Amino acid sequence: MKHDPNCLFCKIVDRKIPAKLIHNDEMAIAFEDINPQAPSHILIVPNEHISDIQSMKEGERELIGHLFFVARNIAAARGLDKGGYRLVINNGRDAGQAVFHIHLHLLSGRAFAWPPG
Ligand code: 5GP
Ligand code: ZN
């Protein structure tokens, strides 16, 4: 499994940095965002280090799809599906990506504007 010892989210996957864990399985973990932008702000992160969407390989299709399935299950378990939620991947500098280990933001608990800022 690809791993970057200097990567913040690899350190959270390895439990070297603490996080409020919500879910973990053989492919991904989910935890509370440290700086929430909504009443519920959860990050879903592959255990494997993949820096961004452009770095995805053919064999990682299922892994990326799994992130969405984890989001779906968390939304259902927490009732976030009732009012709705927003799933976001910030990819690259101009999109505001700060941590270069792919992650899916699951935001819920308030209404979101469109178009995004
Ligand atoms: P990005 O801007 O890369 O799409 O999102 C990175 C996210 O990671 C931000 O929402 C930020 O608040 C969150 N984050 C940064 N450092 C930490 C941390 O140490 N712990 C947790 N739980 N979240 C973090
Ligand atoms: Zn990483």
Side-chain angles (χ1 to χ4, degrees):
M1 189 187 299
K2 278 176 287 180
H3 182 269
D4 178 347
N6 299 314
C7 168
L8 176 65
F9 287 175
C10 282
K11 289 178 188 168
I12 290 179
V13 166
D14 287 348
R15 313 292 194 271
K16 290 189 172 127
I17 290 178
K20 289 185 189 164
L21 275 193
I22 289 164
H23 169 90
N24 69 295
D25 63 46
E26 68 286 351
M27 283 200 254
I29 62 169
F31 52 88
E32 307 267 7
D33 195 292
I34 204 167
N35 182 23
Q37 301 301 313
S40 177
H41 187 171
I42 296 163
L43 300 175
I44 301 142
V45 177
N47 294 338
E48 182 150 358
H49 181 83
I50 305 168
S51 58
D52 59 17
I53 294 289
Q54 296 312 117
S55 308
M56 280 170 52
K57 305 278 190 309
E58 276 291 336
E60 290 161 348
R61 285 174 188 243
E62 192 185 338
L63 174 59
I64 302 304
H66 182 70
L67 304 183
F68 286 84
F69 209 76
V70 170
R72 167 210 184 266
N73 289 345
I74 292 170
R78 299 190 161 213
L80 307 178
D81 52 335
K82 295 191 177 66
Y85 52 87
R86 183 166 288 180
L87 297 175
V88 174
I89 294 176
N90 296 319
N91 191 76
R93 184 196 57 211
D94 284 355
Q97 184 174 7
V99 179
F100 282 78
H101 179 138
I102 286 180
H103 49 282
L104 185 61
H105 295 256
L106 167 57
L107 297 140
S108 189
R110 66 173 174 87
F112 297 100
W114 192 264

mmCIF file with all atom_site columns, all heavy atoms in Angstrom, residues 99-115:
data_model
loop_
_atom_site.group_PDB
_atom_site.id
_atom_site.type_symbol
_atom_site.label_atom_id
_atom_site.label_alt_id
_atom_site.label_comp_id
_atom_site.label_asym_id
_atom_site.label_entity_id
_atom_site.label_seq_id
_atom_site.pdbx_PDB_ins_code
_atom_site.Cartn_x
_atom_site.Cartn_y
_atom_site.Cartn_z
_atom_site.occupancy
_atom_site.B_iso_or_equiv
_atom_site.pdbx_formal_charge
_atom_site.auth_seq_id
_atom_site.auth_comp_id
_atom_site.auth_asym_id
_atom_site.auth_atom_id
_atom_site.pdbx_PDB_model_num
ATOM 1   N N   . VAL A 1 99  ? -4.563  19.489 1.658  1.00 0.00 ? 99  VAL A N   1
ATOM 2   C CA  . VAL A 1 99  ? -3.922  18.227 2.041  1.00 0.00 ? 99  VAL A CA  1
ATOM 3   C C   . VAL A 1 99  ? -3.905  17.335 0.801  1.00 0.00 ? 99  VAL A C   1
ATOM 4   O O   . VAL A 1 99  ? -4.967  16.966 0.270  1.00 0.00 ? 99  VAL A O   1
ATOM 5   C CB  . VAL A 1 99  ? -4.674  17.543 3.195  1.00 0.00 ? 99  VAL A CB  1
ATOM 6   C CG1 . VAL A 1 99  ? -4.003  16.219 3.556  1.00 0.00 ? 99  VAL A CG1 1
ATOM 7   C CG2 . VAL A 1 99  ? -4.742  18.456 4.421  1.00 0.00 ? 99  VAL A CG2 1
ATOM 8   N N   . PHE A 1 100 ? -2.693  17.007 0.350  1.00 0.00 ? 100 PHE A N   1
ATOM 9   C CA  . PHE A 1 100 ? -2.558  16.265 -0.907 1.00 0.00 ? 100 PHE A CA  1
ATOM 10  C C   . PHE A 1 100 ? -2.569  14.761 -0.657 1.00 0.00 ? 100 PHE A C   1
ATOM 11  O O   . PHE A 1 100 ? -1.613  14.040 -0.953 1.00 0.00 ? 100 PHE A O   1
ATOM 12  C CB  . PHE A 1 100 ? -1.348  16.777 -1.701 1.00 0.00 ? 100 PHE A CB  1
ATOM 13  C CG  . PHE A 1 100 ? -1.689  18.078 -2.396 1.00 0.00 ? 100 PHE A CG  1
ATOM 14  C CD1 . PHE A 1 100 ? -1.705  19.272 -1.689 1.00 0.00 ? 100 PHE A CD1 1
ATOM 15  C CD2 . PHE A 1 100 ? -2.076  18.081 -3.720 1.00 0.00 ? 100 PHE A CD2 1
ATOM 16  C CE1 . PHE A 1 100 ? -2.079  20.464 -2.318 1.00 0.00 ? 100 PHE A CE1 1
ATOM 17  C CE2 . PHE A 1 100 ? -2.444  19.266 -4.346 1.00 0.00 ? 100 PHE A CE2 1
ATOM 18  C CZ  . PHE A 1 100 ? -2.449  20.457 -3.644 1.00 0.00 ? 100 PHE A CZ  1
ATOM 19  N N   . HIS A 1 101 ? -3.676  14.312 -0.111 1.00 0.00 ? 101 HIS A N   1
ATOM 20  C CA  . HIS A 1 101 ? -4.051  12.905 0.050  1.00 0.00 ? 101 HIS A CA  1
ATOM 21  C C   . HIS A 1 101 ? -5.564  12.931 -0.183 1.00 0.00 ? 101 HIS A C   1
ATOM 22  O O   . HIS A 1 101 ? -6.285  13.583 0.599  1.00 0.00 ? 101 HIS A O   1
ATOM 23  C CB  . HIS A 1 101 ? -3.674  12.423 1.457  1.00 0.00 ? 101 HIS A CB  1
ATOM 24  C CG  . HIS A 1 101 ? -4.014  11.006 1.774  1.00 0.00 ? 101 HIS A CG  1
ATOM 25  N ND1 . HIS A 1 101 ? -3.141  10.161 2.459  1.00 0.00 ? 101 HIS A ND1 1
ATOM 26  C CD2 . HIS A 1 101 ? -5.126  10.285 1.541  1.00 0.00 ? 101 HIS A CD2 1
ATOM 27  C CE1 . HIS A 1 101 ? -3.721  8.979  2.626  1.00 0.00 ? 101 HIS A CE1 1
ATOM 28  N NE2 . HIS A 1 101 ? -4.939  9.028  2.083  1.00 0.00 ? 101 HIS A NE2 1
ATOM 29  N N   . ILE A 1 102 ? -6.025  12.302 -1.246 1.00 0.00 ? 102 ILE A N   1
ATOM 30  C CA  . ILE A 1 102 ? -7.435  12.417 -1.666 1.00 0.00 ? 102 ILE A CA  1
ATOM 31  C C   . ILE A 1 102 ? -8.371  12.274 -0.470 1.00 0.00 ? 102 ILE A C   1
ATOM 32  O O   . ILE A 1 102 ? -8.189  11.381 0.375  1.00 0.00 ? 102 ILE A O   1
ATOM 33  C CB  . ILE A 1 102 ? -7.791  11.334 -2.706 1.00 0.00 ? 102 ILE A CB  1
ATOM 34  C CG1 . ILE A 1 102 ? -7.178  11.641 -4.071 1.00 0.00 ? 102 ILE A CG1 1
ATOM 35  C CG2 . ILE A 1 102 ? -9.309  11.172 -2.853 1.00 0.00 ? 102 ILE A CG2 1
ATOM 36  C CD1 . ILE A 1 102 ? -7.485  10.602 -5.140 1.00 0.00 ? 102 ILE A CD1 1
ATOM 37  N N   . HIS A 1 103 ? -9.369  13.134 -0.425 1.00 0.00 ? 103 HIS A N   1
ATOM 38  C CA  . HIS A 1 103 ? -10.403 13.023 0.614  1.00 0.00 ? 103 HIS A CA  1
ATOM 39  C C   . HIS A 1 103 ? -11.708 13.589 0.103  1.00 0.00 ? 103 HIS A C   1
ATOM 40  O O   . HIS A 1 103 ? -11.733 14.549 -0.666 1.00 0.00 ? 103 HIS A O   1
ATOM 41  C CB  . HIS A 1 103 ? -9.971  13.732 1.908  1.00 0.00 ? 103 HIS A CB  1
ATOM 42  C CG  . HIS A 1 103 ? -9.461  15.111 1.703  1.00 0.00 ? 103 HIS A CG  1
ATOM 43  N ND1 . HIS A 1 103 ? -8.186  15.367 1.234  1.00 0.00 ? 103 HIS A ND1 1
ATOM 44  C CD2 . HIS A 1 103 ? -10.042 16.321 1.872  1.00 0.00 ? 103 HIS A CD2 1
ATOM 45  C CE1 . HIS A 1 103 ? -8.018  16.678 1.139  1.00 0.00 ? 103 HIS A CE1 1
ATOM 46  N NE2 . HIS A 1 103 ? -9.141  17.279 1.518  1.00 0.00 ? 103 HIS A NE2 1
ATOM 47  N N   . LEU A 1 104 ? -12.768 12.969 0.570  1.00 0.00 ? 104 LEU A N   1
ATOM 48  C CA  . LEU A 1 104 ? -14.127 13.386 0.237  1.00 0.00 ? 104 LEU A CA  1
ATOM 49  C C   . LEU A 1 104 ? -14.693 14.099 1.458  1.00 0.00 ? 104 LEU A C   1
ATOM 50  O O   . LEU A 1 104 ? -14.710 13.536 2.562  1.00 0.00 ? 104 LEU A O   1
ATOM 51  C CB  . LEU A 1 104 ? -14.933 12.125 -0.083 1.00 0.00 ? 104 LEU A CB  1
ATOM 52  C CG  . LEU A 1 104 ? -16.367 12.266 -0.568 1.00 0.00 ? 104 LEU A CG  1
ATOM 53  C CD1 . LEU A 1 104 ? -16.440 13.050 -1.870 1.00 0.00 ? 104 LEU A CD1 1
ATOM 54  C CD2 . LEU A 1 104 ? -16.965 10.869 -0.776 1.00 0.00 ? 104 LEU A CD2 1
ATOM 55  N N   . HIS A 1 105 ? -15.124 15.361 1.271  1.00 0.00 ? 105 HIS A N   1
ATOM 56  C CA  . HIS A 1 105 ? -15.779 16.092 2.352  1.00 0.00 ? 105 HIS A CA  1
ATOM 57  C C   . HIS A 1 105 ? -17.264 15.736 2.343  1.00 0.00 ? 105 HIS A C   1
ATOM 58  O O   . HIS A 1 105 ? -17.916 15.827 1.289  1.00 0.00 ? 105 HIS A O   1
ATOM 59  C CB  . HIS A 1 105 ? -15.686 17.608 2.131  1.00 0.00 ? 105 HIS A CB  1
ATOM 60  C CG  . HIS A 1 105 ? -14.305 18.183 2.171  1.00 0.00 ? 105 HIS A CG  1
ATOM 61  N ND1 . HIS A 1 105 ? -13.832 18.900 3.256  1.00 0.00 ? 105 HIS A ND1 1
ATOM 62  C CD2 . HIS A 1 105 ? -13.299 18.184 1.261  1.00 0.00 ? 105 HIS A CD2 1
ATOM 63  C CE1 . HIS A 1 105 ? -12.601 19.319 3.005  1.00 0.00 ? 105 HIS A CE1 1
ATOM 64  N NE2 . HIS A 1 105 ? -12.250 18.904 1.802  1.00 0.00 ? 105 HIS A NE2 1
ATOM 65  N N   . LEU A 1 106 ? -17.795 15.357 3.486  1.00 0.00 ? 106 LEU A N   1
ATOM 66  C CA  . LEU A 1 106 ? -19.241 15.143 3.656  1.00 0.00 ? 106 LEU A CA  1
ATOM 67  C C   . LEU A 1 106 ? -19.729 16.257 4.581  1.00 0.00 ? 106 LEU A C   1
ATOM 68  O O   . LEU A 1 106 ? -19.393 16.294 5.765  1.00 0.00 ? 106 LEU A O   1
ATOM 69  C CB  . LEU A 1 106 ? -19.498 13.760 4.271  1.00 0.00 ? 106 LEU A CB  1
ATOM 70  C CG  . LEU A 1 106 ? -20.893 13.448 4.799  1.00 0.00 ? 106 LEU A CG  1
ATOM 71  C CD1 . LEU A 1 106 ? -21.972 13.625 3.739  1.00 0.00 ? 106 LEU A CD1 1
ATOM 72  C CD2 . LEU A 1 106 ? -20.948 12.014 5.343  1.00 0.00 ? 106 LEU A CD2 1
ATOM 73  N N   . LEU A 1 107 ? -20.479 17.186 3.985  1.00 0.00 ? 107 LEU A N   1
ATOM 74  C CA  . LEU A 1 107 ? -20.942 18.371 4.724  1.00 0.00 ? 107 LEU A CA  1
ATOM 75  C C   . LEU A 1 107 ? -22.454 18.319 4.831  1.00 0.00 ? 107 LEU A C   1
ATOM 76  O O   . LEU A 1 107 ? -23.152 18.064 3.833  1.00 0.00 ? 107 LEU A O   1
ATOM 77  C CB  . LEU A 1 107 ? -20.536 19.638 3.962  1.00 0.00 ? 107 LEU A CB  1
ATOM 78  C CG  . LEU A 1 107 ? -19.032 19.864 3.817  1.00 0.00 ? 107 LEU A CG  1
ATOM 79  C CD1 . LEU A 1 107 ? -18.687 20.393 2.433  1.00 0.00 ? 107 LEU A CD1 1
ATOM 80  C CD2 . LEU A 1 107 ? -18.530 20.819 4.882  1.00 0.00 ? 107 LEU A CD2 1
ATOM 81  N N   . SER A 1 108 ? -22.964 18.608 6.032  1.00 0.00 ? 108 SER A N   1
ATOM 82  C CA  . SER A 1 108 ? -24.409 18.545 6.204  1.00 0.00 ? 108 SER A CA  1
ATOM 83  C C   . SER A 1 108 ? -24.825 19.358 7.424  1.00 0.00 ? 108 SER A C   1
ATOM 84  O O   . SER A 1 108 ? -23.993 19.795 8.220  1.00 0.00 ? 108 SER A O   1
ATOM 85  C CB  . SER A 1 108 ? -24.843 17.074 6.364  1.00 0.00 ? 108 SER A CB  1
ATOM 86  O OG  . SER A 1 108 ? -26.247 16.964 6.325  1.00 0.00 ? 108 SER A OG  1
ATOM 87  N N   . GLY A 1 109 ? -26.142 19.593 7.545  1.00 0.00 ? 109 GLY A N   1
ATOM 88  C CA  . GLY A 1 109 ? -26.681 20.269 8.713  1.00 0.00 ? 109 GLY A CA  1
ATOM 89  C C   . GLY A 1 109 ? -27.044 21.718 8.469  1.00 0.00 ? 109 GLY A C   1
ATOM 90  O O   . GLY A 1 109 ? -27.502 22.413 9.380  1.00 0.00 ? 109 GLY A O   1
ATOM 91  N N   . ARG A 1 110 ? -26.843 22.193 7.265  1.00 0.00 ? 110 ARG A N   1
ATOM 92  C CA  . ARG A 1 110 ? -27.275 23.538 6.889  1.00 0.00 ? 110 ARG A CA  1
ATOM 93  C C   . ARG A 1 110 ? -27.469 23.549 5.375  1.00 0.00 ? 110 ARG A C   1
ATOM 94  O O   . ARG A 1 110 ? -27.076 22.607 4.674  1.00 0.00 ? 110 ARG A O   1
ATOM 95  C CB  . ARG A 1 110 ? -26.257 24.605 7.310  1.00 0.00 ? 110 ARG A CB  1
ATOM 96  C CG  . ARG A 1 110 ? -24.917 24.552 6.613  1.00 0.00 ? 110 ARG A CG  1
ATOM 97  C CD  . ARG A 1 110 ? -24.064 25.769 6.989  1.00 0.00 ? 110 ARG A CD  1
ATOM 98  N NE  . ARG A 1 110 ? -22.710 25.717 6.471  1.00 0.00 ? 110 ARG A NE  1
ATOM 99  C CZ  . ARG A 1 110 ? -22.337 26.148 5.262  1.00 0.00 ? 110 ARG A CZ  1
ATOM 100 N NH1 . ARG A 1 110 ? -23.233 26.611 4.402  1.00 0.00 ? 110 ARG A NH1 1
ATOM 101 N NH2 . ARG A 1 110 ? -21.071 26.091 4.895  1.00 0.00 ? 110 ARG A NH2 1
ATOM 102 N N   . ALA A 1 111 ? -28.081 24.651 4.883  1.00 0.00 ? 111 ALA A N   1
ATOM 103 C CA  . ALA A 1 111 ? -28.244 24.795 3.431  1.00 0.00 ? 111 ALA A CA  1
ATOM 104 C C   . ALA A 1 111 ? -26.951 25.359 2.842  1.00 0.00 ? 111 ALA A C   1
ATOM 105 O O   . ALA A 1 111 ? -26.296 26.203 3.457  1.00 0.00 ? 111 ALA A O   1
ATOM 106 C CB  . ALA A 1 111 ? -29.412 25.727 3.131  1.00 0.00 ? 111 ALA A CB  1
ATOM 107 N N   . PHE A 1 112 ? -26.593 24.883 1.662  1.00 0.00 ? 112 PHE A N   1
ATOM 108 C CA  . PHE A 1 112 ? -25.369 25.325 0.997  1.00 0.00 ? 112 PHE A CA  1
ATOM 109 C C   . PHE A 1 112 ? -25.713 26.140 -0.242 1.00 0.00 ? 112 PHE A C   1
ATOM 110 O O   . PHE A 1 112 ? -26.665 25.838 -0.960 1.00 0.00 ? 112 PHE A O   1
ATOM 111 C CB  . PHE A 1 112 ? -24.514 24.115 0.600  1.00 0.00 ? 112 PHE A CB  1
ATOM 112 C CG  . PHE A 1 112 ? -24.043 23.320 1.786  1.00 0.00 ? 112 PHE A CG  1
ATOM 113 C CD1 . PHE A 1 112 ? -24.701 22.158 2.156  1.00 0.00 ? 112 PHE A CD1 1
ATOM 114 C CD2 . PHE A 1 112 ? -22.985 23.761 2.549  1.00 0.00 ? 112 PHE A CD2 1
ATOM 115 C CE1 . PHE A 1 112 ? -24.293 21.435 3.263  1.00 0.00 ? 112 PHE A CE1 1
ATOM 116 C CE2 . PHE A 1 112 ? -22.575 23.047 3.664  1.00 0.00 ? 112 PHE A CE2 1
ATOM 117 C CZ  . PHE A 1 112 ? -23.226 21.883 4.026  1.00 0.00 ? 112 PHE A CZ  1
ATOM 118 N N   . ALA A 1 113 ? -24.904 27.163 -0.479 1.00 0.00 ? 113 ALA A N   1
ATOM 119 C CA  . ALA A 1 113 ? -25.122 28.014 -1.654 1.00 0.00 ? 113 ALA A CA  1
ATOM 120 C C   . ALA A 1 113 ? -24.606 27.331 -2.925 1.00 0.00 ? 113 ALA A C   1
ATOM 121 O O   . ALA A 1 113 ? -23.722 26.468 -2.877 1.00 0.00 ? 113 ALA A O   1
ATOM 122 C CB  . ALA A 1 113 ? -24.397 29.340 -1.454 1.00 0.00 ? 113 ALA A CB  1
ATOM 123 N N   . TRP A 1 114 ? -25.190 27.733 -4.041 1.00 0.00 ? 114 TRP A N   1
ATOM 124 C CA  . TRP A 1 114 ? -24.686 27.332 -5.354 1.00 0.00 ? 114 TRP A CA  1
ATOM 125 C C   . TRP A 1 114 ? -24.804 28.520 -6.277 1.00 0.00 ? 114 TRP A C   1
ATOM 126 O O   . TRP A 1 114 ? -25.853 29.167 -6.256 1.00 0.00 ? 114 TRP A O   1
ATOM 127 C CB  . TRP A 1 114 ? -25.476 26.122 -5.905 1.00 0.00 ? 114 TRP A CB  1
ATOM 128 C CG  . TRP A 1 114 ? -24.781 25.535 -7.085 1.00 0.00 ? 114 TRP A CG  1
ATOM 129 C CD1 . TRP A 1 114 ? -25.032 25.788 -8.401 1.00 0.00 ? 114 TRP A CD1 1
ATOM 130 C CD2 . TRP A 1 114 ? -23.685 24.615 -7.041 1.00 0.00 ? 114 TRP A CD2 1
ATOM 131 N NE1 . TRP A 1 114 ? -24.156 25.096 -9.178 1.00 0.00 ? 114 TRP A NE1 1
ATOM 132 C CE2 . TRP A 1 114 ? -23.308 24.363 -8.372 1.00 0.00 ? 114 TRP A CE2 1
ATOM 133 C CE3 . TRP A 1 114 ? -22.962 24.009 -6.012 1.00 0.00 ? 114 TRP A CE3 1
ATOM 134 C CZ2 . TRP A 1 114 ? -22.260 23.526 -8.712 1.00 0.00 ? 114 TRP A CZ2 1
ATOM 135 C CZ3 . TRP A 1 114 ? -21.919 23.162 -6.343 1.00 0.00 ? 114 TRP A CZ3 1
ATOM 136 C CH2 . TRP A 1 114 ? -21.585 22.922 -7.694 1.00 0.00 ? 114 TRP A CH2 1
ATOM 137 N N   . PRO A 1 115 ? -23.807 28.907 -7.067 1.00 0.00 ? 115 PRO A N   1
ATOM 138 C CA  . PRO A 1 115 ? -22.533 28.226 -7.224 1.00 0.00 ? 115 PRO A CA  1
ATOM 139 C C   . PRO A 1 115 ? -21.643 28.368 -6.002 1.00 0.00 ? 115 PRO A C   1
ATOM 140 O O   . PRO A 1 115 ? -21.819 29.306 -5.226 1.00 0.00 ? 115 PRO A O   1
ATOM 141 C CB  . PRO A 1 115 ? -21.909 28.936 -8.435 1.00 0.00 ? 115 PRO A CB  1
ATOM 142 C CG  . PRO A 1 115 ? -22.527 30.285 -8.445 1.00 0.00 ? 115 PRO A CG  1
ATOM 143 C CD  . PRO A 1 115 ? -23.917 30.104 -7.924 1.00 0.00 ? 115 PRO A CD  1
#
